[in-house]
Amino acid sequence: MKKITFLILTVLFFSCKKESEKPIVPETKKIESDSLFYSSKDFQPYLKFNSEYTEYELTGLETPKEFTSSDLSFKVKENDYNFDKSADFKYFTTAAFNLDKIKYKVIAYATYGENDGKVINLQLNSYVSNIQVDALLLDCRFTFEIEYYRKFEIKKDGNITIKKYSIDGYTYNDAGDIIGKRATNDTVTTISRYKTNTNGQFIKY
């Protein structure tokens, strides 16, 4: 009788315990967040659109630094419009991290575009023993005849995805002059992908 009672109590104990246990839910959001070093969302708070001059500005950044002559001449990959750095503007460091013993730094700066219009660039630099190895343009923002900007992700596995947006809201004649506005903007989107290697270089694939 005692054995039967003990068996019943044991079954009831484990049944109650099983019901009270909560199912384990994978923390997918945390995993996704932890897989990124830096992205457009991190840079967004430092961008401000000046509607009076129809151009972007940097905001909320501290400790500006001057470009060296070496910085100004260093070639930047994925710089489609060749809007290079200018000694007239300083730069700000928005992020820094290490990957495979390579040091990376994200810098933001203003420069000149067409007709001396302002362009905001965001650039990823890589360093080995404090010597710059490579540079990649993550974001480029301007509003001349077209509106242009990028969205990007830098992942901890060394993969970098850059999505470029070019928005044209005007119509043109055969000579290329603006003659009016489109009823619907013409938007072109392209994607570039890079992978960092053990030497700190950005390899396009």
Side-chain angles (χ1 to χ4, degrees):
M1 184 69 180
K2 288 182 178 180
K3 289 184 178 179
I4 296 173
T5 304
F6 176 77
L7 181 61
I8 293 172
L9 290 173
T10 302
V11 171
L12 287 173
F13 172 77
F14 282 106
S15 297
C16 293
K17 185 178 180 182
K18 187 174 181 181
E19 288 179 3
S20 63
E21 288 178 347
K22 294 182 180 180
I24 299 173
V25 180
E27 296 183 11
T28 53
K29 288 185 178 180
K30 184 177 181 181
I31 292 172
E32 290 173 358
S33 177
D34 288 347
S35 70
L36 291 176
F37 270 127
Y38 199 72
S39 72
S40 301
K41 292 180 180 179
D42 299 302
F43 182 47
Q44 190 63 39
Y46 304 119
L47 286 169
K48 178 183 177 182
F49 185 73
N50 188 324
S51 56
E52 181 180 356
Y53 296 102
T54 61
E55 63 185 19
Y56 286 94
E57 298 175 349
L58 292 171
T59 183
L61 292 167
E62 300 177 352
T63 319
K65 294 184 178 180
E66 293 185 359
F67 287 113
T68 65
S69 56
S70 178
D71 293 333
L72 293 172
S73 62
F74 201 98
K75 186 176 180 181
V76 182
K77 293 178 178 176
E78 213 61 33
N79 189 7
D80 300 336
Y81 291 93
N82 294 315
F83 294 150
D84 293 322
K85 298 173 287 292
S86 169
D88 292 342
F89 298 98
K90 296 180 180 181
Y91 73 90
F92 303 86
T93 299
T94 66
F97 52 87
N98 295 322
L99 177 63
D100 295 331
K101 298 181 180 180
I102 308 296
K103 180 180 179 181
Y104 294 90
K105 186 167 68 174
V106 183
I107 64 170
Y109 56 92
T111 189
Y112 295 115
E114 295 180 7
N115 301 320
D116 290 335
K118 186 183 288 185
V119 174
I120 298 298
N121 280 348
L122 188 72
Q123 177 179 317
L124 177 64
N125 294 339
S126 61
Y127 304 85
V128 175
S129 300
N130 294 321
I131 298 174
Q132 188 170 355
V133 175
D134 213 346
L136 177 66
L137 195 64
L138 299 172
D139 198 354
C140 178
R141 291 177 179 256
F142 60 84
T143 53
F144 303 143
E145 292 181 358
I146 64 170
E147 179 184 0
Y148 184 87
Y149 65 95
R150 301 178 180 185
K151 292 184 179 180
F152 65 90
E153 286 186 345
I154 305 172
K155 294 190 174 181
K156 291 185 177 179
D157 61 5
N159 283 291
I160 303 169
T161 303
I162 303 171
K163 194 170 185 179
K164 309 173 187 178
Y165 298 84
S166 179
I167 303 172
D168 190 349
Y170 296 101
T171 56
Y172 307 86
N173 59 21
D174 293 338
D177 300 318
I178 297 174
I179 58 175
K181 290 188 176 181
R182 298 175 185 269
T184 303
N185 290 341
D186 183 15
T187 302
V188 178
T189 305
T190 57
I191 297 177
S192 295
R193 291 183 172 88
Y194 283 81
K195 175 76 175 180
T196 59
N197 66 14
T198 54
N199 296 320
Q201 297 169 319
F202 304 120
I203 308 301
K204 195 170 187 176
Y205 67 94

